Amino acid sequence: MNTWEKAYEKWNTFQNLDPALKKNLREIKDDKAAIEDAFYKELTFGTGGMRGVLGPGTNRMNIYTVRKAVNGLANYLKVNCVNVNDRGVVVSYDSRHMSKEFAVETAKVLGSYGIKAYVFSELHPTPLLSFAVRYLGAVAGVMITASHNPPEYNGFKVYNEEGGQIVPDEAESIISYIEQTESELTVPIIERTELLEKDLLNWIGSEIDNAYLEQLKQISKLGEKDIAKDKALSIVFTPLHGTSYDLVLKGLDQLSFPQVHVVEEQAKPDPEFSTVESPNPEEHQAFTLAIKQGNKVDGDILIGTDPDADRLGVAVRDTDQSFKVLTGNQLGSLLLDYILSHTDQALLPNARVLKTIVTTELGRAIATHYGARTIDTLTGFKYIGEKIHQFDSTGETFIFGFEESYGYLISSFSRDKDAVQAAMMACEMAYFWKQQGKTLLEALGALYEKHGYFLEGMSSLTLKGKEGSDKIAMIMEEVRKNPLKEIAGLKVEKMEDYATGKRTSFGAQELQETMDLPNENALKFILEKNSWVCLRPSGTEPKIKCYYGVCEDSKEASQRSLDSLKDAMNNLINRVVQHN
C-alpha cells in the first residue's frame, strides 16, 4: 500500500471525522487520482504560512491541517516567547469559504494550551491583523486568507509579535514543531463554550477599528483645515468582494471625500468572487465594473483592493479620457514623490525608503532627489516589515515601503502592506494634483521627464513536477557557473548572488563584497545604462521568474531596451532547458 493510500485509509476510518469532510471523501472514493492528489503529501508550510485548495486530505486546507499548523505554532510560542498565555494570539479572517471556521479552530487549539485568542467578530483586512497584534501586545497573529487566489483556495498566515509576517528563521522553527505533531486528526482542542467560560476566546469588536482609523487619519499630508474641507474628487471604489469596505469608506469620510461611488455588485463579501475572473487588482479585468461606473459618474480615480486588503490597484484618466490602470511601480513612485515632497526637509537625511530588489529604480532616483536613502530588501513584504523593526533600534525613520506587486506601506503602525493606507494616500494625492490642474498620469510623466523613463517587466516559465523543479534548479546553477558578462548588448557591471550573499563587480579587476541580506535563491545582474535583470524561482508556484528594469530618455527607447532584455533572457532560459 502506497503512503498516500495509508493516509487516505487513516482518514476514511477515523470515527470522529468531520461530517462534511467525510461526505467529501465518499464523493471521491472511486477517483484514484483525486485521492492521491489529496493525500500524497502534507500541505507545505512555507516562509509565511500555508495555502491550498479546500477539501479533505493532508494536502488540503481543512480543519485538521489548520489544527496541525496551530499546534506547531503553539509549541513554538511556548518555547520562544514570554507571557504567551496572557498576551495571547490575534486571529483575523477574510471572506473566503471556511475562513471564520478556521479562525475558531485556531482558537480551539490555542485554548488547549491555555493560550488566549483574540478573534475578530467579523471579517477584517490583513493590515488590521498586523495593527491589532501590536495594539494588544499579543505574542503573535494568524490571518486566514488566500489573498487573491481562486475561490477554491484558503490559507493560514502567521505574524510575529512585531506585527510583521514571520521571516524564514521563524518559519523554519515553527515548521520543526509542526513536524513533531503525530497526527493532524488527534490534535487537542477545547470547544467554543469552554473557551468562553475560561476567558480563552475574546471577540474583538470596534475598539481596534477605531484605534486604527485614528492612526489612519495621521498619515495625511494635509493640514487640519484642508482635511475638514470637502474635496471635489470623484472616487470609484471596489473592495472586490473582500474585507475593505467599511474601513476604506470610513477613512475617506475622515478625509472629507464626499464623492465616493462604490461598485455595488462587488461591495458585499462573496467567497466565489462571482463578478471577476480573478479578485486581483493587478489584473486589469478586475477593474471592468469600476471602469464602467467611472464613466457613468465622471470618476477621477478608481481604487480596488484585493480580498484581504493588503494590495491596492488604481486606474486614472488618460488624455483620451479612457481609464488606465497604473502598475505597482508607477503608483509606488507617485506615492513616494508625493510623500517626500510634503515631508519636512529637516527629516529627510534620516528618512529611509524600503523597496525590494525587483522594484523600480525610479524609487531610488526620487528618494535621492529629496535627500532620502533607499534600502533594498529581498522579495516579499516580510523583509520590509523586518527592516522597519530594525529601525526601532537604529533610530532611522521609515518613510515609505513598496513592492512592484501592488503592496505599499505609508506608516509603520501596520507592519505589512496596507491597501487601506494606500487608498487614502492615493486619493489625497490625486486631489492634490487635480488642484494643480494635473492628472496622476501627467504627474507621472513629469517624474519621467525629471528622472528618466524607467520601465519594468516580468516574464516567467512554468515547469511542473519533479522534472520541472530539477530544470529550474539547473537554470540557476548554469547561470551561477557561467556568469553573464553581457545581456542584449549591455555590459554587466555587477552580479548579486543572494544565495551566497556576494556582490561581484566586473571592471579592470574583479571585486567581491558581502551583502547585508538574508540568503535566497536569486541572481541579479546590474547592467550599464541603469538597466538590470533578476532571475529567481517562485516560492509558491512551479515557475522561474525573470524581472527586468531599464531607463532611457523616452518611452519608446525604454520599451525597445526592455523587449531586448526579455528576448535575451528567454532565449538563454530556453537554451538551458532544451540542452538538459
Side-chain angles (χ1 to χ4, degrees), residues 443-457:
L444 181 64
L447 288 180
Y448 289 142
E449 287 290 322
K450 182 185 291 184
H451 301 291
Y453 207 100
F454 288 82
L455 194 61
E456 298 77 32

Side-chain angles (χ1 to χ4, degrees), residues 87 89-92 117-138 140 143 202-217 246-247 250 254 413-414 418 420:
R87 292 170 65 195
V89 175
V90 186
V91 186
S92 186
Y118 295 92
V119 184
F120 281 92
S121 56
E122 296 176 339
L123 50 79
H124 270 75
T126 290
L128 258 289
L129 182 277
S130 173
F131 173 75
V133 169
R134 299 180 73 239
Y135 180 81
L136 293 170
M143 182 71 196
N202 292 261
W203 293 106
I204 297 175
S206 59
E207 177 192 354
I208 302 294
D209 290 32
N210 295 336
Y212 175 89
L213 286 165
E214 189 58 39
Q215 291 290 325
L216 188 65
K217 194 173 183 179
D246 284 341
L247 284 167
K250 287 175 181 176
Q254 282 187 156
F413 62 82
S414 297
D418 188 337
V420 182

Side-chain angles (χ1 to χ4, degrees), residues 219 221 335-351 370 372 397-400 410 425:
I219 73 171
K221 298 299 180 182
L335 287 169
L336 175 60
D337 180 73
Y338 176 74
I339 290 165
L340 289 176
S341 68
H342 288 78
T343 298
D344 185 343
Q345 287 191 338
L347 301 176
L348 292 173
N350 200 46
Y370 287 102
T397 302
F398 170 72
I399 202 83
F400 185 63
I410 289 100
M425 194 59 78

Side-chain angles (χ1 to χ4, degrees), residues 11 17-18 20-25 27-28 34-35 37-39 43 51-66 97-98 102 151-155 184-185:
W11 276 56
L17 193 72
D18 175 75
L21 293 174
K22 186 175 276 292
K23 179 174 180 289
N24 294 151
L25 279 183
E27 289 168 354
I28 62 170
I35 294 172
D37 191 52
F39 288 95
L43 194 62
R51 188 179 297 181
V53 174
L54 291 159
T58 56
N59 188 33
R60 295 286 185 265
M61 281 291 297
N62 52 64
I63 63 171
Y64 300 109
T65 52
V66 167
H97 292 294
M98 295 296 293
F102 291 160
E152 63 270 22
Y153 281 77
N154 212 328
E184 65 280 348
L185 297 175

Side-chain angles (χ1 to χ4, degrees), residues 272-345:
E272 288 297 319
F273 309 111
S274 52
T275 65
V276 289
E277 293 174 28
S278 168
N280 184 357
E282 293 181 66
E283 305 288 343
H284 290 193
Q285 58 79 27
F287 276 95
T288 301
L289 290 177
I291 289 172
K292 184 179 177 183
Q293 187 149 341
N295 286 324
K296 277 184 183 177
V297 300
D298 194 24
D300 293 305
I301 183 171
L302 319 180
I303 57 174
T305 57
D306 69 343
D308 67 323
D310 62 355
R311 285 181 169 89
L312 176 77
V314 165
V316 292
R317 295 277 187 189
D318 207 340
T319 50
D320 62 0
Q321 291 303 298
S322 65
F323 283 101
K324 180 179 179 181
V325 180
L326 297 173
T327 69
N329 283 317
Q330 289 172 336
L331 179 57
S333 298
L334 282 163
L335 287 169
L336 175 60
D337 180 73
Y338 176 74
I339 290 165
L340 289 176
S341 68
H342 288 78
T343 298
D344 185 343
Q345 287 191 338

Side-chain angles (χ1 to χ4, degrees), residues 220 222 226-235 248-261 300-301 303 338 423-432 434-435:
S220 174
L222 301 173
D226 286 330
I227 287 176
K229 184 175 67 176
D230 280 357
K231 296 165 186 62
L233 187 78
S234 181
I235 301 165
V248 168
L249 290 183
K250 287 175 181 176
L252 290 172
D253 183 60
Q254 282 187 156
L255 295 178
S256 305
F257 285 104
Q259 297 179 50
V260 182
H261 310 275
D300 293 305
I301 183 171
I303 57 174
Y338 176 74
M424 299 307 106
M425 194 59 78
C427 291
E428 180 178 308
M429 176 176 66
Y431 170 72
F432 170 81
K434 186 177 181 182
Q435 295 295 101

